[in-house]
Amino acid sequence: MIRTLKASFVECSGRDRAQKLLDDGTYIELLGPFDGLESPHLEPQGIVPQSDDGVIIARGTLNRQRVVVISIEGNFQGGGIGEVSGAKIAGALERALKDCEAGIKTIPLLMFDTGGVRLQEANYGLLSIAEIGAAIVALRRHVPVIAVIPGKIGAFGGMSITAGLCSAIIMTREGRLGLNGPEVIEQEAGIREFDSKDRQLIWGTIGGNQRTAAGFADLLIEDDIEAVKEAVTSIINSEVIPKIRTEQVERYQAFLNLINPLQRMSPEKVRELWKDSETTIENKVEFVSESEKSAGRGQVWFDLLRNDAAEIGDIPSVRVADSMIGDTKVRYIAVVPDAQNRFPRARKGEVGLQEGWSIAKHIREAIEADQYGEKRAIVAIVDVPSQAYGYHEELLGIHQACAAAVDAYATARLAGHPVISFIPGNAISGAFLSHGMQANRLIALRDAGVNVHVMSKQSAARITQRSLEELEAATKKVPAMAYDIESFEKLGALFSLVDGVEASAPGRKDYDIIYKEIGQAIEDVRMDGLTDLSGRLTSAIAQSGGRSASILVREKLNEQWN
Amino acid sequence: MFHLENIIYTFPATKRIGKRAHVGVVGSGDLEIMMEPCDSSQTEVTIRTGITGFKDTWEAVIYRFFNQHDIAAKVKINDFGATPGVVSIRLSQALEVSCND
């Protein structure tokens, strides 16, 4: 058949995209516009909510295969993930997982059109994205989880990490995939680093064409409904079997080692080096130097907790050591500042390209070593100011590096390793998602220097087009928008918030408290035996209001699912 | 600061619409309309908008539409700065969807 006219997929609304993908007459929308589940957090901030909170969940079939389509409406609040929209996505994936576990193969298809966390609901979005990631990693063991990034907005922020976790990524030329949006990089790193008005630069760095050529997406398709269906079907039918990116740690590390970050690289060069990395699998090992240690909380606590255990990390910014808590083997991992970091944008303790892949490497190593024996605990020591913001970071796929770390932590958790996050410092945004958020238990210190949030106030004000004063005022109304750890506690995700510990210069007494606390968290994980993140929704604080909408959405979704 | 305007109108009405309809997006210059059949013989229109101070304009647009279309329905509007023309078009679209098969 000759087709002359194309039917654009990009131009469709989120709901149209879902409807057009599914076989005729099989579309069943769950939690639709008349079910009354809108965001409870927007109206108090003077923002008009949307009846479906910008996410469309539809069950149906595609070529008679049972699928669930999760489609994000980019025109509502930039496709931002809030509490309700996030719970719709996570809940649908969790239901699909249940089906798969019961032998009913249900394939999730995610239509991305999102800037990431909805800044007006900040930490709710962060928690949701961690839950979405957890479900994807678990689902991938049963079915392919397929991402489509058609374009208009693309997939940014935490949701680019989500895309990086999927089995396959399908993009059009118009689609974009990157961790930090152009405006945010410009705000954080300056216009010389990235000019957010330069469209050629933007698409050259993170557009569909470049992403497919440089190893960050699988299929580049025309903007055409039939092309989307064909591409999705080819993956469902295993005509195309993409390698799982997050598991190819060696390849991506080799790729990064081919790069000289001090020279501004062209997108074309990156494509070449990606090809080269296929044959040059060799890891350059850097030494962990004792002399250039930072005095930050991450480093201090790492040294305190590991005691005299030898360091086994491969780069100075990711410290790794195996030690013991009681009879339990523990692997500590901390991301710390390294003033000589090869990548200048990751010198202040940010989670950057090398850091993401290095975390992944050291966790996967432990999973493999413990495959048949006692699963050691993995303890993330979290003091991370942010992810790294820069041109090279985006060009070389920092979202994928973050996804690799997320995947490794989630995989360890699913394999039965107790994964604990200990937060003595900042736990921010993509850095926290990558290093800490996938833990079974979160332990934080009650201290003014412990903050959890999704974006610096300056950037958040710029993106939401508010003044700093307006932003501060909104923060007072919505605890999820606040930066302090006590507000974060109100969301019910913490295992414990520890009082009376000296956070920046801990002594023996502080060590004893935290050593015991981590030990208890490990014990708690072993007791309940759950390997998912459901504990964050069943905690007393979550149940008594901290996560009301997240819980309600899942309940309603369960009612409507079958 | 942080203020939404809620506007409600009710009119007597007679004709029942066939089914519920959902059109539009709460995105720049657009709005979302949910139209549902209503058993009582009246129409109730609830509007939420962040663009405050245009009550007169809303009144003119809504009155005109429901003068022309005598339908008993529950209508919810979530507005994100739609112009009067866009509001009318979306209302017509919602009505069309709710009357077709």
Side-chain angles (χ1 to χ4, degrees), chain A residues 15 33-34 38 43-52 73 75-77 470 473-474 477, chain B residues 1-4 6 20-22 25-28 32 34-36 48-50 76 78-80:
Chain A
R15 184 164 282 101
F34 294 96
E38 58 178 37
E43 203 165 333
Q45 298 183 57
I47 298 164
V48 180
Q50 181 163 295
S51 59
D52 54 18
E73 174 53 65
N75 281 330
F76 175 62
Q77 293 296 321
E470 283 171 326
K477 290 194 180 180
Chain B
M1 198 164 111
F2 301 150
H3 179 63
L4 283 190
N6 283 283
R20 58 195 197 180
H22 173 259
V25 177
V26 190
S28 187
E32 175 189 46
M34 283 156 282
M35 195 178 267
E36 288 180 274
R48 265 193 301 191
T49 178
K76 251 181 98 176
N78 290 324
D79 171 59
F80 211 75

mmCIF file of all heavy atoms in Angstrom, chain A residues 15 33-34 38 43-52 73 75-77 470 473-474 477, chain B residues 1-4 6 20-22 25-28 32 34-36 48-50 76 78-80:
data_model
loop_
_atom_site.group_PDB
_atom_site.id
_atom_site.type_symbol
_atom_site.label_atom_id
_atom_site.label_comp_id
_atom_site.label_asym_id
_atom_site.label_seq_id
_atom_site.Cartn_x
_atom_site.Cartn_y
_atom_site.Cartn_z
ATOM 1 N N ARG A 15 -4.349 12.191 25.118
ATOM 2 C CA ARG A 15 -5.439 11.211 25.069
ATOM 3 C C ARG A 15 -5.568 10.623 23.664
ATOM 4 O O ARG A 15 -5.741 9.420 23.507
ATOM 5 C CB ARG A 15 -6.759 11.864 25.504
ATOM 6 C CG ARG A 15 -7.933 10.890 25.580
ATOM 7 C CD ARG A 15 -9.107 11.433 26.368
ATOM 8 N NE ARG A 15 -8.878 11.350 27.796
ATOM 9 C CZ ARG A 15 -8.506 12.361 28.566
ATOM 10 N NH1 ARG A 15 -8.338 13.556 28.037
ATOM 11 N NH2 ARG A 15 -8.301 12.193 29.853
ATOM 12 N N PRO A 33 -11.346 11.693 33.099
ATOM 13 C CA PRO A 33 -11.714 13.050 33.523
ATOM 14 C C PRO A 33 -12.931 13.111 34.448
ATOM 15 O O PRO A 33 -13.074 14.069 35.201
ATOM 16 C CB PRO A 33 -12.038 13.752 32.205
ATOM 17 C CG PRO A 33 -11.389 12.948 31.154
ATOM 18 C CD PRO A 33 -11.302 11.547 31.651
ATOM 19 N N PHE A 34 -13.810 12.113 34.393
ATOM 20 C CA PHE A 34 -15.014 12.190 35.219
ATOM 21 C C PHE A 34 -14.869 11.453 36.556
ATOM 22 O O PHE A 34 -15.823 11.334 37.308
ATOM 23 C CB PHE A 34 -16.226 11.660 34.433
ATOM 24 C CG PHE A 34 -16.564 12.543 33.269
ATOM 25 C CD1 PHE A 34 -16.086 12.244 31.993
ATOM 26 C CD2 PHE A 34 -17.328 13.692 33.438
ATOM 27 C CE1 PHE A 34 -16.372 13.076 30.919
ATOM 28 C CE2 PHE A 34 -17.616 14.527 32.369
ATOM 29 C CZ PHE A 34 -17.132 14.222 31.098
ATOM 30 N N GLU A 38 -8.208 14.997 40.559
ATOM 31 C CA GLU A 38 -7.294 16.052 40.123
ATOM 32 C C GLU A 38 -6.299 16.339 41.246
ATOM 33 O O GLU A 38 -6.462 15.844 42.361
ATOM 34 C CB GLU A 38 -8.077 17.315 39.768
ATOM 35 C CG GLU A 38 -8.904 17.838 40.925
ATOM 36 C CD GLU A 38 -9.646 19.129 40.596
ATOM 37 O OE1 GLU A 38 -10.111 19.276 39.461
ATOM 38 O OE2 GLU A 38 -9.752 19.977 41.506
ATOM 39 N N GLU A 43 -4.702 24.186 43.292
ATOM 40 C CA GLU A 43 -5.629 25.284 43.556
ATOM 41 C C GLU A 43 -5.146 26.214 44.675
ATOM 42 O O GLU A 43 -5.226 27.431 44.528
ATOM 43 C CB GLU A 43 -7.039 24.748 43.835
ATOM 44 C CG GLU A 43 -8.077 25.805 43.550
ATOM 45 C CD GLU A 43 -9.504 25.286 43.447
ATOM 46 O OE1 GLU A 43 -9.712 24.120 43.099
ATOM 47 O OE2 GLU A 43 -10.400 26.100 43.733
ATOM 48 N N PRO A 44 -4.600 25.669 45.784
ATOM 49 C CA PRO A 44 -4.088 26.577 46.823
ATOM 50 C C PRO A 44 -2.963 27.487 46.331
ATOM 51 O O PRO A 44 -2.652 28.486 46.958
ATOM 52 C CB PRO A 44 -3.555 25.621 47.907
ATOM 53 C CG PRO A 44 -4.251 24.332 47.674
ATOM 54 C CD PRO A 44 -4.529 24.266 46.203
ATOM 55 N N GLN A 45 -2.347 27.120 45.197
ATOM 56 C CA GLN A 45 -1.271 27.950 44.662
ATOM 57 C C GLN A 45 -1.749 28.818 43.501
ATOM 58 O O GLN A 45 -0.946 29.388 42.757
ATOM 59 C CB GLN A 45 -0.111 27.071 44.183
ATOM 60 C CG GLN A 45 0.519 26.255 45.300
ATOM 61 C CD GLN A 45 1.713 25.467 44.783
ATOM 62 O OE1 GLN A 45 2.657 26.021 44.240
ATOM 63 N NE2 GLN A 45 1.683 24.158 44.958
ATOM 64 N N GLY A 46 -3.066 28.854 43.308
ATOM 65 C CA GLY A 46 -3.601 29.695 42.248
ATOM 66 C C GLY A 46 -3.411 29.137 40.856
ATOM 67 O O GLY A 46 -3.347 29.869 39.875
ATOM 68 N N ILE A 47 -3.310 27.812 40.751
ATOM 69 C CA ILE A 47 -3.149 27.185 39.437
ATOM 70 C C ILE A 47 -4.368 26.302 39.179
ATOM 71 O O ILE A 47 -4.789 25.534 40.051
ATOM 72 C CB ILE A 47 -1.863 26.343 39.387
ATOM 73 C CG1 ILE A 47 -0.648 27.250 39.594
ATOM 74 C CG2 ILE A 47 -1.752 25.587 38.076
ATOM 75 C CD1 ILE A 47 0.617 26.517 39.937
ATOM 76 N N VAL A 48 -4.955 26.439 37.991
ATOM 77 C CA VAL A 48 -6.145 25.660 37.677
ATOM 78 C C VAL A 48 -5.740 24.208 37.414
ATOM 79 O O VAL A 48 -4.872 23.948 36.589
ATOM 80 C CB VAL A 48 -6.862 26.233 36.441
ATOM 81 C CG1 VAL A 48 -8.103 25.417 36.111
ATOM 82 C CG2 VAL A 48 -7.233 27.690 36.675
ATOM 83 N N PRO A 49 -6.340 23.270 38.140
ATOM 84 C CA PRO A 49 -6.015 21.856 37.920
ATOM 85 C C PRO A 49 -6.690 21.311 36.657
ATOM 86 O O PRO A 49 -7.588 21.947 36.113
ATOM 87 C CB PRO A 49 -6.595 21.148 39.156
ATOM 88 C CG PRO A 49 -7.140 22.220 40.039
ATOM 89 C CD PRO A 49 -7.334 23.439 39.202
ATOM 90 N N GLN A 50 -6.265 20.144 36.222
ATOM 91 C CA GLN A 50 -6.936 19.466 35.107
ATOM 92 C C GLN A 50 -7.540 18.172 35.637
ATOM 93 O O GLN A 50 -6.983 17.528 36.526
ATOM 94 C CB GLN A 50 -5.935 19.190 33.984
ATOM 95 C CG GLN A 50 -6.559 18.498 32.773
ATOM 96 C CD GLN A 50 -5.698 18.597 31.521
ATOM 97 O OE1 GLN A 50 -5.484 19.685 31.003
ATOM 98 N NE2 GLN A 50 -5.208 17.472 31.038
ATOM 99 N N SER A 51 -8.680 17.799 35.054
ATOM 100 C CA SER A 51 -9.467 16.688 35.600
ATOM 101 C C SER A 51 -8.704 15.361 35.648
ATOM 102 O O SER A 51 -8.985 14.515 36.490
ATOM 103 C CB SER A 51 -10.731 16.502 34.779
ATOM 104 O OG SER A 51 -10.372 16.232 33.436
ATOM 105 N N ASP A 52 -7.749 15.164 34.736
ATOM 106 C CA ASP A 52 -7.010 13.896 34.735
ATOM 107 C C ASP A 52 -5.577 14.097 35.240
ATOM 108 O O ASP A 52 -4.755 13.190 35.164
ATOM 109 C CB ASP A 52 -6.996 13.284 33.335
ATOM 110 C CG ASP A 52 -6.464 14.250 32.294
ATOM 111 O OD1 ASP A 52 -5.800 15.239 32.672
ATOM 112 O OD2 ASP A 52 -6.706 14.031 31.091
ATOM 113 N N GLU A 73 0.147 14.283 29.043
ATOM 114 C CA GLU A 73 -0.307 15.451 28.284
ATOM 115 C C GLU A 73 0.664 16.612 28.525
ATOM 116 O O GLU A 73 0.646 17.224 29.596
ATOM 117 C CB GLU A 73 -1.725 15.833 28.729
ATOM 118 C CG GLU A 73 -2.264 17.114 28.115
ATOM 119 C CD GLU A 73 -2.167 17.127 26.598
ATOM 120 O OE1 GLU A 73 -2.839 16.312 25.955
ATOM 121 O OE2 GLU A 73 -1.400 17.949 26.058
ATOM 122 N N ASN A 75 0.766 19.552 27.315
ATOM 123 C CA ASN A 75 0.240 20.924 27.352
ATOM 124 C C ASN A 75 -0.278 21.340 28.720
ATOM 125 O O ASN A 75 -0.550 22.509 28.949
ATOM 126 C CB ASN A 75 -0.866 21.115 26.313
ATOM 127 C CG ASN A 75 -0.283 21.305 24.931
ATOM 128 O OD1 ASN A 75 0.816 21.834 24.784
ATOM 129 N ND2 ASN A 75 -0.994 20.849 23.924
ATOM 130 N N PHE A 76 -0.477 20.384 29.603
ATOM 131 C CA PHE A 76 -0.898 20.746 30.958
ATOM 132 C C PHE A 76 0.324 20.781 31.866
ATOM 133 O O PHE A 76 0.967 19.754 32.088
ATOM 134 C CB PHE A 76 -1.932 19.737 31.483
ATOM 135 C CG PHE A 76 -2.301 19.993 32.929
ATOM 136 C CD1 PHE A 76 -2.910 21.176 33.311
ATOM 137 C CD2 PHE A 76 -2.019 19.053 33.916
ATOM 138 C CE1 PHE A 76 -3.229 21.423 34.640
ATOM 139 C CE2 PHE A 76 -2.337 19.285 35.245
ATOM 140 C CZ PHE A 76 -2.942 20.482 35.611
ATOM 141 N N GLN A 77 0.649 21.958 32.363
ATOM 142 C CA GLN A 77 1.775 22.133 33.285
ATOM 143 C C GLN A 77 3.057 21.460 32.781
ATOM 144 O O GLN A 77 3.772 20.823 33.556
ATOM 145 C CB GLN A 77 1.406 21.611 34.675
ATOM 146 C CG GLN A 77 0.321 22.418 35.381
ATOM 147 C CD GLN A 77 0.770 23.850 35.679
ATOM 148 O OE1 GLN A 77 1.910 24.103 36.039
ATOM 149 N NE2 GLN A 77 -0.120 24.812 35.491
ATOM 150 N N GLU A 470 7.431 34.871 45.616
ATOM 151 C CA GLU A 470 6.229 34.073 45.366
ATOM 152 C C GLU A 470 6.498 32.594 45.628
ATOM 153 O O GLU A 470 5.674 31.874 46.179
ATOM 154 C CB GLU A 470 5.761 34.261 43.918
ATOM 155 C CG GLU A 470 5.052 35.565 43.684
ATOM 156 C CD GLU A 470 4.793 35.828 42.195
ATOM 157 O OE1 GLU A 470 5.624 35.426 41.353
ATOM 158 O OE2 GLU A 470 3.773 36.432 41.892
ATOM 159 N N ALA A 473 6.567 31.900 49.289
ATOM 160 C CA ALA A 473 5.214 31.906 49.843
ATOM 161 C C ALA A 473 4.514 30.582 49.544
ATOM 162 O O ALA A 473 3.832 30.008 50.401
ATOM 163 C CB ALA A 473 4.417 33.067 49.267
ATOM 164 N N ALA A 474 4.687 30.073 48.334
ATOM 165 C CA ALA A 474 4.065 28.802 47.961
ATOM 166 C C ALA A 474 4.621 27.662 48.809
ATOM 167 O O ALA A 474 3.906 26.748 49.215
ATOM 168 C CB ALA A 474 4.295 28.519 46.478
ATOM 169 N N LYS A 477 2.841 26.878 51.927
ATOM 170 C CA LYS A 477 1.530 26.226 51.846
ATOM 171 C C LYS A 477 1.638 24.731 51.546
ATOM 172 O O LYS A 477 0.770 23.954 51.915
ATOM 173 C CB LYS A 477 0.701 26.864 50.725
ATOM 174 C CG LYS A 477 0.259 28.255 51.043
ATOM 175 C CD LYS A 477 -0.816 28.686 50.070
ATOM 176 C CE LYS A 477 -1.269 30.093 50.406
ATOM 177 N NZ LYS A 477 -2.306 30.567 49.516
ATOM 178 N N MET B 1 -2.391 37.560 44.971
ATOM 179 C CA MET B 1 -1.558 36.387 44.706
ATOM 180 C C MET B 1 -2.270 35.101 45.110
ATOM 181 O O MET B 1 -3.018 35.085 46.078
ATOM 182 C CB MET B 1 -0.274 36.535 45.523
ATOM 183 C CG MET B 1 0.826 35.655 45.056
ATOM 184 S SD MET B 1 2.369 36.234 45.765
ATOM 185 C CE MET B 1 2.739 34.947 46.867
ATOM 186 N N PHE B 2 -2.008 34.024 44.369
ATOM 187 C CA PHE B 2 -2.599 32.710 44.635
ATOM 188 C C PHE B 2 -4.105 32.774 44.740
ATOM 189 O O PHE B 2 -4.690 32.468 45.769
ATOM 190 C CB PHE B 2 -2.051 32.109 45.929
ATOM 191 C CG PHE B 2 -0.575 31.933 45.912
ATOM 192 C CD1 PHE B 2 0.152 32.008 47.070
ATOM 193 C CD2 PHE B 2 0.080 31.681 44.725
ATOM 194 C CE1 PHE B 2 1.515 31.834 47.053
ATOM 195 C CE2 PHE B 2 1.449 31.506 44.690
ATOM 196 C CZ PHE B 2 2.168 31.588 45.866
ATOM 197 N N HIS B 3 -4.725 33.210 43.705
ATOM 198 C CA HIS B 3 -6.161 33.336 43.781
ATOM 199 C C HIS B 3 -6.785 32.808 42.505
ATOM 200 O O HIS B 3 -6.429 33.214 41.411
ATOM 201 C CB HIS B 3 -6.512 34.809 43.992
ATOM 202 C CG HIS B 3 -7.976 35.054 44.063
ATOM 203 N ND1 HIS B 3 -8.760 34.518 45.049
ATOM 204 C CD2 HIS B 3 -8.797 35.761 43.254
ATOM 205 C CE1 HIS B 3 -10.003 34.898 44.847
ATOM 206 N NE2 HIS B 3 -10.055 35.646 43.765
ATOM 207 N N LEU B 4 -7.722 31.901 42.674
ATOM 208 C CA LEU B 4 -8.486 31.419 41.533
ATOM 209 C C LEU B 4 -9.883 31.995 41.638
ATOM 210 O O LEU B 4 -10.388 32.201 42.726
ATOM 211 C CB LEU B 4 -8.608 29.900 41.567
ATOM 212 C CG LEU B 4 -7.430 29.046 41.147
ATOM 213 C CD1 LEU B 4 -7.870 27.601 41.034
ATOM 214 C CD2 LEU B 4 -6.857 29.522 39.834
ATOM 215 N N ASN B 6 -13.799 31.358 41.027
ATOM 216 C CA ASN B 6 -14.820 30.345 40.752
ATOM 217 C C ASN B 6 -16.115 31.046 40.394
ATOM 218 O O ASN B 6 -16.581 31.902 41.141
ATOM 219 C CB ASN B 6 -15.044 29.467 41.986
ATOM 220 C CG ASN B 6 -13.930 28.457 42.151
ATOM 221 O OD1 ASN B 6 -13.884 27.444 41.461
ATOM 222 N ND2 ASN B 6 -13.000 28.746 43.049
ATOM 223 N N ARG B 20 -21.871 12.016 28.182
ATOM 224 C CA ARG B 20 -20.923 13.012 28.660
ATOM 225 C C ARG B 20 -19.797 13.237 27.648
ATOM 226 O O ARG B 20 -19.479 12.360 26.835
ATOM 227 C CB ARG B 20 -20.388 12.625 30.032
ATOM 228 C CG ARG B 20 -19.713 11.303 30.074
ATOM 229 C CD ARG B 20 -19.566 10.864 31.525
ATOM 230 N NE ARG B 20 -18.574 9.793 31.605
ATOM 231 C CZ ARG B 20 -18.215 9.198 32.729
ATOM 232 N NH1 ARG B 20 -18.780 9.553 33.877
ATOM 233 N NH2 ARG B 20 -17.315 8.250 32.723
ATOM 234 N N ALA B 21 -19.220 14.411 27.745
ATOM 235 C CA ALA B 21 -18.169 14.771 26.786
ATOM 236 C C ALA B 21 -17.036 15.475 27.517
ATOM 237 O O ALA B 21 -17.258 16.203 28.476
ATOM 238 C CB ALA B 21 -18.742 15.698 25.718
ATOM 239 N N HIS B 22 -15.819 15.217 27.048
ATOM 240 C CA HIS B 22 -14.646 15.879 27.613
ATOM 241 C C HIS B 22 -13.816 16.414 26.459
ATOM 242 O O HIS B 22 -13.414 15.655 25.579
ATOM 243 C CB HIS B 22 -13.816 14.884 28.430
ATOM 244 C CG HIS B 22 -12.514 15.450 28.897
ATOM 245 N ND1 HIS B 22 -11.322 15.180 28.276
ATOM 246 C CD2 HIS B 22 -12.221 16.302 29.916
ATOM 247 C CE1 HIS B 22 -10.338 15.833 28.900
ATOM 248 N NE2 HIS B 22 -10.865 16.515 29.893
ATOM 249 N N VAL B 25 -7.767 21.052 26.829
ATOM 250 C CA VAL B 25 -6.656 20.857 27.754
ATOM 251 C C VAL B 25 -6.491 22.146 28.574
ATOM 252 O O VAL B 25 -6.723 23.232 28.060
ATOM 253 C CB VAL B 25 -5.337 20.601 26.973
ATOM 254 C CG1 VAL B 25 -4.156 20.476 27.916
ATOM 255 C CG2 VAL B 25 -5.442 19.357 26.117
ATOM 256 N N VAL B 26 -6.093 22.010 29.842
ATOM 257 C CA VAL B 26 -5.806 23.189 30.656
ATOM 258 C C VAL B 26 -4.391 23.664 30.316
ATOM 259 O O VAL B 26 -3.460 23.555 31.102
ATOM 260 C CB VAL B 26 -5.936 22.882 32.170
ATOM 261 C CG1 VAL B 26 -5.866 24.178 32.985
ATOM 262 C CG2 VAL B 26 -7.258 22.185 32.464
ATOM 263 N N GLY B 27 -4.253 24.136 29.082
ATOM 264 C CA GLY B 27 -2.950 24.603 28.616
ATOM 265 C C GLY B 27 -3.089 26.008 28.072
ATOM 266 O O GLY B 27 -4.206 26.487 27.845
ATOM 267 N N SER B 28 -1.976 26.643 27.880
ATOM 268 C CA SER B 28 -1.935 28.044 27.472
ATOM 269 C C SER B 28 -2.988 28.412 26.426
ATOM 270 O O SER B 28 -3.028 27.833 25.345
ATOM 271 C CB SER B 28 -0.541 28.344 26.919
ATOM 272 O OG SER B 28 -0.427 29.717 26.682
ATOM 273 N N GLU B 32 -10.452 23.280 29.481
ATOM 274 C CA GLU B 32 -10.982 21.919 29.486
ATOM 275 C C GLU B 32 -12.461 22.015 29.832
ATOM 276 O O GLU B 32 -12.834 22.729 30.771
ATOM 277 C CB GLU B 32 -10.234 21.134 30.564
ATOM 278 C CG GLU B 32 -10.729 19.725 30.790
ATOM 279 C CD GLU B 32 -10.085 19.096 32.037
ATOM 280 O OE1 GLU B 32 -10.023 19.768 33.086
ATOM 281 O OE2 GLU B 32 -9.664 17.937 31.952
ATOM 282 N N MET B 34 -15.915 19.688 30.702
ATOM 283 C CA MET B 34 -16.577 18.412 30.954
ATOM 284 C C MET B 34 -18.073 18.662 30.950
ATOM 285 O O MET B 34 -18.557 19.497 31.723
ATOM 286 C CB MET B 34 -16.141 17.846 32.299
ATOM 287 C CG MET B 34 -14.762 17.220 32.230
ATOM 288 S SD MET B 34 -13.979 17.182 33.832
ATOM 289 C CE MET B 34 -13.456 18.866 33.970
ATOM 290 N N MET B 35 -18.776 17.972 30.089
ATOM 291 C CA MET B 35 -20.220 18.170 29.962
ATOM 292 C C MET B 35 -20.907 16.845 30.258
ATOM 293 O O MET B 35 -20.593 15.839 29.628
ATOM 294 C CB MET B 35 -20.517 18.645 28.541
ATOM 295 C CG MET B 35 -21.896 19.232 28.344
ATOM 296 S SD MET B 35 -22.109 19.823 26.637
ATOM 297 C CE MET B 35 -21.641 21.544 26.770
ATOM 298 N N GLU B 36 -21.807 16.870 31.235
ATOM 299 C CA GLU B 36 -22.510 15.635 31.607
ATOM 300 C C GLU B 36 -24.018 15.844 31.532
ATOM 301 O O GLU B 36 -24.496 16.935 31.853
ATOM 302 C CB GLU B 36 -22.178 15.254 33.053
ATOM 303 C CG GLU B 36 -20.793 14.733 33.275
ATOM 304 C CD GLU B 36 -20.565 14.394 34.747
ATOM 305 O OE1 GLU B 36 -20.196 15.302 35.506
ATOM 306 O OE2 GLU B 36 -20.784 13.234 35.119
ATOM 307 N N ARG B 48 -13.663 27.559 36.634
ATOM 308 C CA ARG B 48 -12.499 27.884 37.461
ATOM 309 C C ARG B 48 -11.467 28.526 36.548
ATOM 310 O O ARG B 48 -11.102 27.951 35.528
ATOM 311 C CB ARG B 48 -11.878 26.608 38.043
ATOM 312 C CG ARG B 48 -12.360 26.277 39.428
ATOM 313 C CD ARG B 48 -11.496 25.213 40.044
ATOM 314 N NE ARG B 48 -11.503 23.989 39.240
ATOM 315 C CZ ARG B 48 -10.999 22.829 39.674
ATOM 316 N NH1 ARG B 48 -10.452 22.749 40.867
ATOM 317 N NH2 ARG B 48 -11.025 21.763 38.909
ATOM 318 N N THR B 49 -11.005 29.684 36.925
ATOM 319 C CA THR B 49 -10.004 30.335 36.081
ATOM 320 C C THR B 49 -8.976 31.080 36.922
ATOM 321 O O THR B 49 -9.288 31.573 38.005
ATOM 322 C CB THR B 49 -10.664 31.306 35.074
ATOM 323 O OG1 THR B 49 -9.640 31.944 34.309
ATOM 324 C CG2 THR B 49 -11.510 32.362 35.783
ATOM 325 N N GLY B 50 -7.767 31.131 36.413
ATOM 326 C CA GLY B 50 -6.711 31.877 37.094
ATOM 327 C C GLY B 50 -6.644 33.313 36.595
ATOM 328 O O GLY B 50 -5.964 34.150 37.175
ATOM 329 N N LYS B 76 -18.525 21.625 33.569
ATOM 330 C CA LYS B 76 -17.392 22.091 34.378
ATOM 331 C C LYS B 76 -16.328 22.629 33.442
ATOM 332 O O LYS B 76 -15.955 21.972 32.460
ATOM 333 C CB LYS B 76 -16.809 20.913 35.176
ATOM 334 C CG LYS B 76 -17.093 20.995 36.667
ATOM 335 C CD LYS B 76 -16.477 19.815 37.392
ATOM 336 C CE LYS B 76 -15.140 20.187 38.023
ATOM 337 N NZ LYS B 76 -14.593 19.065 38.812
ATOM 338 N N ASN B 78 -12.437 24.216 33.264
ATOM 339 C CA ASN B 78 -11.144 24.569 33.852
ATOM 340 C C ASN B 78 -10.398 25.415 32.834
ATOM 341 O O ASN B 78 -9.978 24.914 31.797
ATOM 342 C CB ASN B 78 -10.329 23.309 34.181
ATOM 343 C CG ASN B 78 -10.922 22.535 35.338
ATOM 344 O OD1 ASN B 78 -11.443 23.111 36.286
ATOM 345 N ND2 ASN B 78 -10.865 21.206 35.257
ATOM 346 N N ASP B 79 -10.260 26.691 33.124
ATOM 347 C CA ASP B 79 -9.751 27.631 32.117
ATOM 348 C C ASP B 79 -8.294 28.002 32.359
ATOM 349 O O ASP B 79 -7.859 28.193 33.485
ATOM 350 C CB ASP B 79 -10.604 28.900 32.150
ATOM 351 C CG ASP B 79 -10.000 29.989 31.291
ATOM 352 O OD1 ASP B 79 -9.825 29.746 30.081
ATOM 353 O OD2 ASP B 79 -9.667 31.071 31.833
ATOM 354 N N PHE B 80 -7.550 28.089 31.262
ATOM 355 C CA PHE B 80 -6.155 28.525 31.372
ATOM 356 C C PHE B 80 -5.914 29.683 30.399
ATOM 357 O O PHE B 80 -5.010 29.654 29.574
ATOM 358 C CB PHE B 80 -5.224 27.354 31.082
ATOM 359 C CG PHE B 80 -3.917 27.422 31.837
ATOM 360 C CD1 PHE B 80 -3.865 27.123 33.190
ATOM 361 C CD2 PHE B 80 -2.740 27.782 31.197
ATOM 362 C CE1 PHE B 80 -2.667 27.175 33.891
ATOM 363 C CE2 PHE B 80 -1.532 27.835 31.888
ATOM 364 C CZ PHE B 80 -1.499 27.540 33.237
#
